[in-house]
Amino acid sequence: MSLPAVNLDQDHSAWLYGPEALCRVGPRPQVNDPRRLVLLGPPGAGKGTLAANLQEAFGTCPLSTGDILRAAPTQPGAAQIQTPAMRAALDAMRRGELVPDKLMLDLVRERIGCLRCRGGFVLDGFPRTRTQAEALEEMLHAQDVQLDAVICLEVPTEVVVERVSGRRNCPVCGALYHLKFRPPRHRGICDLCQVGLVQREDDRDEAIRAQIAAYEHAAGEILAFYEERRLLVRVRADGTPLEARDHVLDALTARTVRPF
Ligand code: AP5
């Protein structure tokens, strides 16, 4: 059984496809002080982009729950994995609604080993509800690991809509582009895989509005959860991707004794 092609520099197969799919490229050998972060923020805030930039800086593995769901239909043995619960979840995602906590938690628990990856991690899009945040806290405790910080990217709604509506992805390696802000070298073609770029099904107007509403509905509770634990770091992210990364690194350095 062969796995779908991935960009080997960014392999995180165990997260995307579950623990039976071992990562073919592990964390950088020199990582001895892994960073463990959670990224929060509205859809299109730049969480995936920042997770990729933090991976470049620290070798931290980007762990996106949206990516797990998007990978499910292409997974080896997808027919067996397409349970009624998973099909309902994918429909909810297409509409821009949150997937039920139970399914999301089952998927993350299956991948719990990724939380003690020796390269560290950046969780992107999880947790999204208080129930998920409480469950993550238990999972981390069980793995005897601690979060360094929870970063909330703050971006005005009009910027979010422009970012999401111009987003394009490579269907093979998952590389992220933007029609205006990060265009590929050749129009509509992935720089890395040379295949045609696609637009996510939930990047259309109606679904974008639903995603923003879902985020706004749940955000207050989850931000309060991490504020209570003194883990929350709010960062302005309406500048360029590199400015966002630098704001995050500055904010993390300011709140910790070890430099980021
Ligand atoms: P998910 O995949 O997590 O999507 P999201 O959180 O809505 O975030 P996005 O991926 O849309 O945006 P992003 O913040 O990563 O921004 P990006 O870097 O791509 O979730 C999708 C769906 O799955 C959910 O709606 C839900 O249904 C379900 N789901 C997932 N997790 C769940 C959970 N835990 N519980 C329940 N349901 C769950 O950037 C956007 C664009 O802007 C890109 O084109 C990028 O190139 C560009 N860009 C980024 N930064 C900048 C910048 N600084 N300047 C200019 N352009 C930029």
Side-chain angles (χ1 to χ4, degrees), residues 41-50 64-67 69-70 89 92-94 96-101 104 124-129 132 153 162-164 166-169 176-179 181-182 200 202-203 211 237-242 244:
K47 301 182 294 295
T49 303
L50 177 63
S64 153
T65 38
D67 283 350
L69 297 168
R70 281 183 288 277
M93 185 170 75
R94 278 181 210 109
E97 295 164 10
L98 287 188
V99 165
D101 285 338
M104 223 52 255
D124 161 6
F126 180 89
R128 257 181 161 92
T129 63
Q132 293 181 15
L153 298 183
E162 189 184 19
R163 285 187 188 171
V164 176
R167 173 167 49 196
R168 298 293 182 272
N169 292 81
L176 259 181
Y177 297 89
H178 191 280
L179 295 179
F181 303 123
R182 193 177 183 284
R200 270 167 49 175
D202 58 345
D203 278 356
Q211 287 176 63
D238 53 355
T240 66
L242 289 184

Side-chain angles (χ1 to χ4, degrees), residues 10-129:
Q10 301 181 6
D11 186 19
H12 48 303
S13 301
W15 178 256
L16 289 184
Y17 305 113
E20 285 169 26
L22 294 177
C23 293
R24 284 168 285 174
V25 177
R28 293 177 198 161
Q30 70 270 28
V31 174
N32 53 13
D33 189 13
R35 312 296 169 151
R36 300 186 180 101
L37 302 168
V38 167
L39 298 186
L40 304 177
K47 301 182 294 295
T49 303
L50 177 63
N53 284 330
L54 293 175
Q55 182 183 31
E56 212 171 286
F58 300 131
T60 43
C61 198
L63 306 180
S64 153
T65 38
D67 283 350
I68 298 178
L69 297 168
R70 281 183 288 277
T74 64
Q75 184 157 3
Q80 293 85 346
I81 293 153
Q82 293 282 318
T83 58
M86 178 57 93
R87 280 196 295 273
L90 295 176
D91 283 343
M93 185 170 75
R94 278 181 210 109
R95 292 192 298 270
E97 295 164 10
L98 287 188
V99 165
D101 285 338
K102 178 173 178 340
L103 179 76
M104 223 52 255
L105 290 173
D106 286 348
L107 291 170
V108 174
R109 282 201 185 98
E110 264 174 35
R111 292 157 173 80
I112 197 165
C114 292
L115 300 179
R116 42 162 212 277
C117 177
R118 63 192 159 82
F121 60 78
V122 176
L123 273 168
D124 161 6
F126 180 89
R128 257 181 161 92
T129 63

